[in-house]
Amino acid sequence: MRRKDAANIPPNNTPIEEVSQLTLRAEEVDEDPTTAELRIPKVKFGFTFAYGLAYFGFFLCLFMPALFSLPYKIQLIDPASKETALGLVVGISAIVLLPVGPIFGVLSDRSKLPWGRRRPFLLLGLGTFALSALIIALAPTVPVVLVGYIIAQLAGGLVGASMNPALAEHVPPAQRGKLGALSGVMASIAGVCASLIGSFLLGNILLLFFLPVGVFAIGVVVWLLVIPDGPAPERFQAVSIGAALRSLLFNPRKHPDFTWVWLGKLCIGVGTAFFSTYQLYFLLDRLGFTAEQAGQQLAAVGGLALLATIGFTILGGFLSDKLRRRKVFIYIAASMIGVGMVIAAFAPDITVYIVGAVLLSAGSGAFNSVDLALASDVLPDKEAGGKWMSIYQISGTIATAIGPVIAPLLLAIGGGGNYTAMFIAGGLFAAGAAFTASRVRGVR
């Protein structure tokens, strides 16, 4: 018999561990956590279908505004300063809500409702997405758009806290690569659908923003019917918001692998944020397309990129489980994303742009194939998956905040419109993930 604390932390405590001992104290256990994890039964088709469908709807709610509808809306309101306005909206919303996702993760870990500790957060997130869609669609000014997008980020935090822990809680290690890859595939499909569908809905602004919410609602219903859930284990006690905030802090030296994986996601996120946030404006300003043409071109590019993304995501997820290796796919991803962004940086026409975008997308597929699986493998406490996966996802939120804020400064180099400098900088950021992966010791 041995006593296990919430994060397997030794007694010489820092302030955060003092909070952990007060609020996360574990019960006596006989079984090693690694052995218990291996006892998780394999998931079947129903789980896989519900998981994929819900993530598709979730990503559509995230990507439709990020890739198309939000830039389009801001261009309608403020065409003269659209680049700066878009950067401020995306950056400020991410900064303001930086701690929200992890707080929701901590609170969902401790929910004692008989119906489940994750399900209430999922339904609340769906409703919040609907509210944000209404506000942004009807917004007459950029500040109102900002309010709506802050609410959208709040919705993303709620949904992430409810869905992201499923991989660590319900999927055995031997299947995590495949299920993690499935979420990556759904992200890629949602990205293509966002641009394609958006280009055909320019005449109906309400439908442009509400369609993703409707699709996600279908996924939520299926998730609620299929994915198991229940109240939090007894060892999780109620916690105040202040204690929840303090418990989000952790000592990187005590959890170095988790820290390096977190930093790697940050590097990839900052790099690709330059590309994804401003690709519509790149086609408008550099290549001279109209908004409708740009949306259709993005969808066409996305179709080719989708094949590359899905291929690398599925293959990477399968091979990472088969070979029991994750890091090599991070090396591949960082290299391909970096080279793809450099090619796009110098693209004189749509053909060269397609080459860069497809290579970048293939690299994103390689990263998506092991992203969640790698994070799940290095979680300090898998029973507190809501907390730790939310902390992991906050690296993406920080990237979303940093990228659009830095991008206008890079664009302004040389008098404005310097997409070359911005894309090259993004490639260098993404390449940094190769270094962080090399520092991970507990996973091959």
Side-chain angles (χ1 to χ4, degrees):
M1 298 274 284
R2 66 183 182 89
R3 183 171 296 277
K4 182 186 73 170
D5 68 15
N8 297 322
I9 298 174
N12 55 333
N13 300 317
T14 61
I16 177 54
E17 279 113 23
E18 292 174 1
V19 174
S20 297
Q21 283 194 338
L22 290 173
T23 61
L24 308 179
R25 186 168 296 160
E27 301 297 324
E28 298 279 2
V29 295
D30 294 310
E31 189 172 38
D32 183 85
T34 303
T35 303
E37 186 181 21
L38 293 174
R39 292 180 181 275
I40 299 175
K42 287 188 175 182
V43 299
K44 298 182 180 179
F45 174 78
F47 185 103
T48 302
F49 176 79
Y51 186 89
L53 180 62
Y55 264 102
F56 171 74
F58 180 34
F59 285 127
L60 196 61
C61 286
L62 295 178
F63 292 165
M64 183 78 96
L67 300 180
F68 192 84
S69 59
L70 182 66
Y72 176 71
K73 176 69 178 184
I74 289 177
Q75 180 183 252
L76 293 178
I77 297 174
D78 188 8
S81 305
K82 61 182 186 296
E83 297 92 348
T84 301
L86 178 62
L88 289 174
V89 168
V90 175
I92 291 174
S93 64
I95 292 171
V96 168
L97 296 170
L98 203 56
V100 166
I103 289 176
F104 289 150
V106 172
L107 295 178
S108 70
D109 282 340
R110 288 157 180 74
S111 175
K112 299 290 187 178
L113 294 175
W115 190 48
R117 57 174 170 166
R118 313 295 186 195
R119 288 169 177 164
F121 289 83
L122 182 58
L123 282 176
L124 187 57
L126 174 62
T128 309
F129 266 132
L131 177 61
S132 71
L134 180 64
I135 292 174
I136 298 174
L138 300 180
T141 63
V142 171
V144 178
V145 171
L146 173 60
V147 171
Y149 204 58
I150 287 175
I151 293 174
Q153 298 298 310
L154 182 67
L158 287 163
V159 174
S162 63
M163 290 174 55
N164 289 333
L167 200 65
E169 292 175 347
H170 302 301
V171 181
Q175 288 184 302
R176 284 180 189 157
K178 300 180 185 68
L179 268 293
L182 177 61
S183 68
V185 170
M186 293 300 104
S188 302
I189 296 175
V192 174
C193 290
S195 299
L196 179 60
I197 295 171
S199 68
F200 289 107
L201 296 178
L202 298 181
N204 191 329
I205 197 72
L206 280 172
L207 189 58
L208 179 64
F209 283 94
F210 270 99
L211 181 63
V213 180
V215 174
F216 182 45
I218 297 172
V220 167
V221 171
V222 177
W223 179 285
L224 294 177
L225 293 173
V226 174
I227 306 298
D229 195 11
E234 287 300 319
R235 77 178 182 92
F236 288 105
Q237 304 299 319
V239 63
S240 68
I241 296 296
L245 278 170
R246 292 190 297 272
S247 73
L248 299 178
L249 303 176
F250 69 96
N251 188 339
R253 289 179 296 179
K254 292 184 179 297
H255 310 296
D257 282 354
F258 180 81
T259 301
W260 286 117
V261 172
W262 190 96
L263 289 172
K265 185 177 180 65
L266 177 67
C267 290
I268 293 288
V270 171
T272 55
F274 290 162
F275 188 86
S276 61
T277 305
Y278 288 93
Q279 60 179 334
L280 177 62
Y281 293 165
F282 177 84
L283 295 186
L284 295 175
D285 299 339
R286 173 75 72 85
L287 301 185
F289 292 105
T290 67
E292 184 175 357
Q293 290 171 336
Q296 293 170 1
Q297 288 290 345
L298 287 175
V301 172
L304 295 174
L306 180 63
L307 297 176
T309 304
I310 290 178
F312 275 82
T313 302
I314 294 176
L315 182 62
F318 173 79
L319 289 178
S320 70
D321 282 345
K322 189 75 173 177
L323 302 176
R324 298 183 182 275
R325 293 181 180 272
R326 313 288 192 201
K327 290 161 58 173
V328 65
F329 298 96
I330 302 297
Y331 300 146
I332 294 171
S335 301
M336 296 178 75
I337 292 173
V339 173
M341 293 195 71
V342 171
I343 292 174
F346 295 98
D349 54 41
I350 191 65
T351 301
V352 177
Y353 173 82
I354 289 174
V355 174
V358 170
L359 189 58
L360 183 150
S361 297
S364 296
F367 179 75
N368 291 340
S369 71
V370 295
D371 176 26
L372 292 179
L374 180 59
S376 297
D377 288 344
V378 299
L379 290 186
D381 181 6
K382 292 181 173 58
E383 288 189 14
K387 168 190 169 179
W388 288 103
M389 287 302 287
S390 293
I391 291 175
Y392 176 64
Q393 293 296 341
I394 205 174
S395 63
T397 305
I398 294 175
T400 302
I402 293 175
V405 172
I406 297 175
L409 302 178
L410 297 170
L411 284 169
I413 294 174
N418 197 336
Y419 290 94
T420 300
M422 184 180 68
F423 285 172
I424 289 176
L428 292 174
F429 269 108
F435 171 76
T436 61
S438 71
R439 305 297 297 173
V440 177
R441 299 294 182 238
V443 178
R444 293 192 300 168

